[in-house]
Amino acid sequence: MITSSARELRSLVASKKVSAVEITRAYLDRIRAIDPKVKAYLAVTEDAALQAARRVDEKAARGEPLGALAGVPVAIKDNMVTRDAPTTCASKILAGYRAPYEATVVERLRAADALLLGKTNLDEFAMGSSTENSAFGPTRNPWDLQRVPGGSSGGSAAAVAAGMACLALGSDTGGSIRQPASFTATVGFKPTYGRVSRYGLVAFASSLDQIGPFARDVEDAALITRVIAGKDPLDSTSVDLPPPTLKPNGRRFRLGLPREYLGEGLDPEVRDIVLAAAKKLEARGATLVDVSLPTTQYGIAAYYIVAPSEASSNLARYDGVHYGHRTKEPVDLVGLYSKSRREGFGAEVTRRIILGTFALSSGYYEAYYNRALKVRRLLKQDFDRVFERVDAVVGPTSPTPPFRLGERTADPLAMYLSDVYTVSANLAGLPGLSLNCGFTKTGLPVALQIQGKAFDDATVLEIALAVERECGKVTTWPTP
Ligand code: GLN
């Protein structure tokens, strides 16, 4: 059952060939067997999942209409609030916190009869590219346990890759869905900013954050996107548009290959595999166009000003009074704030808060924050210009295959450079999708990224489907 797609699982349940309870048990067994090695989950909500499964089976028995994800096991990144488990953001500062409400995406999944299996590991507050910044220890890559699964949504990616969830949700502020999807040979989709409500997603950088899915194939990714997308009065940035539909109609696409995505810093083997995938599309009738996105070189610098600036403001609420950890030291009020925060936040989150506070402080605001916003505008203009000539832009998702645990933890800049191809979509608000297009000689996954026009999520999905057909679906479920 763990090798079935979400579409297959739903039809098995609808035709009563397999019960939702059996599916849930199969997934729970798989989690028990391999998650001690992978550590994708922070919490498994076994009882709630079985209860939800029984309700789905009862509905099926009564012949009631079933939701779009009936009987499909889904994992949730632990920075989205759910009532049936703690929400930790992989941070000590939220110790003991249980949300009194649920994220809109979670409500929509439940309404679609999905079975929520639990909450997955992440870099603390989604800050990182390897899941090593979790206060609860790293998640490992199921393809090679010595390597990272990417981040920050590494737990969700690893869970789907290893058959410990059929689908999962992640959040993507600068690549946190697409880069771990690349590292685990899963499909990861960051829809256009505004497509999916962030109500109940713990805010990192509000002008960049977007929720999206991990799936085993493109059609499943499209299916769950339709469930979670759409206007939500509780998130004023969500837009009132019908959710994107995947309707392949044999269009011949014009695909831009930005030269800035193929230069310095790109692993030669990744480059060859990604270019070979592009050539396969060309052989099938797509037109490859050499394009330029010159502002790309400033993307990382701008992102690492904008994201920490917004984070420093969003994380001000963790003061030792409202939520979670409070210092036990006898201190005055200011001491209570600073001690609680010192004790509760890990090194990377602390670094971001200091960076962001500095960039926003008077005297430096013009030099840093304002300039980063100008870069952001230029980057958007780069894409506008290129999209006059092409339907989408393709290139690598990550400059390297999955790296080893510990390889980049001592060097924040090396870690930040993992995001060189992914931050643009967030800064420009565009949809971006990552999917596997091959493996290195040593068996490590390599992915292609597709970036499309704002709200043209459907085209991105359609191109992804063509890539999947040309490069072949990943049909291995690594069992570490
Ligand atoms: N790796 C990036 C960062 O550390 C992106 C994180 C994300 O998308 N949540 O900020």
Side-chain angles (χ1 to χ4, degrees):
M1 255 168 290
I2 61 148
T3 58
S4 305
S5 69
R7 286 112 56 214
E8 285 160 359
L9 289 178
R10 187 190 179 279
S11 79
L12 286 170
V13 168
S15 60
K16 299 198 262 303
K17 291 203 182 80
V18 176
S19 71
V21 168
E22 286 172 278
I23 294 171
T24 310
R25 292 228 160 91
Y27 273 89
L28 291 171
D29 287 347
R30 176 91 176 158
I31 292 170
R32 259 191 296 275
I34 65 173
D35 207 37
K37 291 183 199 146
V38 177
K39 296 192 170 15
Y41 282 92
L42 292 177
V44 178
T45 50
E46 177 162 350
D47 294 341
L50 284 167
Q51 212 178 2
R54 277 190 287 271
R55 273 198 302 271
V56 171
D57 287 334
E58 282 158 21
K59 258 186 163 180
R62 287 194 299 264
E64 286 173 28
L66 296 177
L69 294 175
V72 179
V74 184
I76 309 287
K77 184 180 184 179
D78 201 20
N79 61 350
M80 294 172 226
V81 297
T82 54
R83 257 199 227 96
D84 56 15
T87 296
T88 67
C89 293
S91 180
K92 281 194 283 187
I93 208 151
L94 277 171
Y97 172 65
R98 202 176 262 255
Y101 68 107
E102 297 209 303
T104 297
V105 286
V106 170
E107 283 184 347
R108 289 191 179 176
L109 288 174
R110 291 198 202 279
D113 292 326
L115 312 171
L116 305 192
L117 294 180
K119 309 291 284 288
T120 56
N121 200 13
L122 63 151
D123 287 297
E124 186 176 3
F125 284 100
M127 297 174 192
S129 309
S130 68
T131 317
E132 291 167 294
N133 295 336
S134 166
F136 306 110
T139 298
R140 288 167 184 268
N141 193 320
W143 292 92
D144 177 348
L145 293 179
Q146 301 316 314
R147 293 181 187 266
V148 302
S152 62
S153 315
S156 284
V160 171
M164 294 190 281
C166 181
L167 296 167
L169 291 186
S171 64
D172 190 314
T173 303
S176 279
I177 294 174
R178 291 160 288 153
Q179 186 254 19
S182 165
F183 280 15
T184 55
T186 50
V187 176
F189 182 38
K190 180 200 93 71
T192 305
Y193 185 81
R195 267 288 183 202
V196 180
S197 165
R198 288 99 39 88
Y199 181 70
L201 168 70
V202 176
F204 163 9
S206 309
S207 77
L208 305 164
D209 297 340
Q210 185 62 194
I211 292 171
F214 289 91
R216 299 284 318 195
D217 67 19
V218 175
E219 282 181 77
D220 272 5
L223 175 67
I224 185 172
T225 301
R226 285 185 62 75
V227 170
I228 59 173
K231 177 75 188 161
D232 175 12
L234 298 171
D235 176 356
S236 59
T237 65
S238 66
V239 296
D240 198 2
L241 283 173
T245 339
L246 177 57
K247 257 201 246 116
N249 50 17
R251 272 160 71 199
R252 287 171 180 261
F253 292 106
R254 293 176 61 81
L255 304 175
L257 265 175
R259 64 186 75 118
E260 292 80 5
Y261 288 18
L262 299 169
E264 197 196 331
L266 177 60
D267 177 285
E269 212 181 347
V270 171
R271 182 194 151 101
D272 290 348
I273 294 169
V274 166
L275 285 179
K279 290 275 176 242
K280 284 185 193 157
L281 292 173
E282 192 178 32
R284 281 290 172 161
T287 309
L288 296 182
V289 186
D290 180 23
V291 297
S292 176
L293 297 167
T295 314
T296 302
Q297 59 173 314
Y298 305 113
I300 286 286
Y303 172 83
Y304 279 96
I305 297 290
V306 173
S309 295
E310 294 186 23
S312 71
S313 160
N314 273 325
L315 270 58
R317 71 190 70 172
Y318 306 101
D319 54 9
V321 177
H322 291 91
Y323 316 82
H325 177 75
R326 178 182 303 179
T327 186
K328 304 248 174 346
E329 307 261 324
V331 280
D332 61 9
L333 182 64
V334 174
L336 173 80
Y337 295 153
S338 62
K339 268 260 157 208
S340 301
R341 285 165 72 80
R342 255 277 161 238
E343 292 168 4
F345 289 134
E348 182 61 27
V349 173
T350 305
R351 181 179 298 121
R352 305 272 179 121
I353 292 172
I354 293 170
L355 267 173
T357 307
F358 178 79
L360 291 177
S361 57
S362 70
Y364 295 102
Y365 185 95
E366 292 291 325
Y368 293 102
Y369 188 70
N370 247 354
R371 282 179 85 185
L373 291 187
K374 285 180 187 158
V375 170
R376 191 172 183 177
R377 167 62 62 92
L378 291 173
L379 197 63
K380 175 83 174 63
Q381 287 171 352
D382 279 3
F383 278 102
D384 289 345
R385 236 185 337 263
V386 163
F387 285 142
E388 284 170 13
R389 297 202 289 141
V390 299
D391 302 298
V393 159
V394 298
T397 306
S398 158
T400 65
F403 44 91
R404 287 177 194 281
L405 271 104
E407 197 177 309
R408 299 192 185 169
T409 39
D411 184 354
L413 191 59
M415 191 69 92
Y416 297 172
L417 285 171
S418 319
D419 311 328
V420 59
Y421 306 129
T422 50
V423 295
S424 304
N426 304 79
L427 288 167
L430 308 175
L433 184 147
S434 173
L435 85 166
N436 183 269
C437 63
F439 288 81
T440 65
K441 285 191 217 67
T442 56
L444 298 173
V446 172
L448 182 92
Q449 179 183 213
I450 304 157
Q451 296 175 92
K453 299 175 190 171
F455 298 106
D456 196 10
D457 302 68
T459 295
V460 171
L461 289 164
E462 192 178 338
I463 295 168
L465 193 65
V467 175
E468 188 175 79
R469 286 191 180 141
E470 293 313 314
C471 298
K473 232 183 250 187
V474 177
T475 51
T476 315
W477 271 253
T479 301

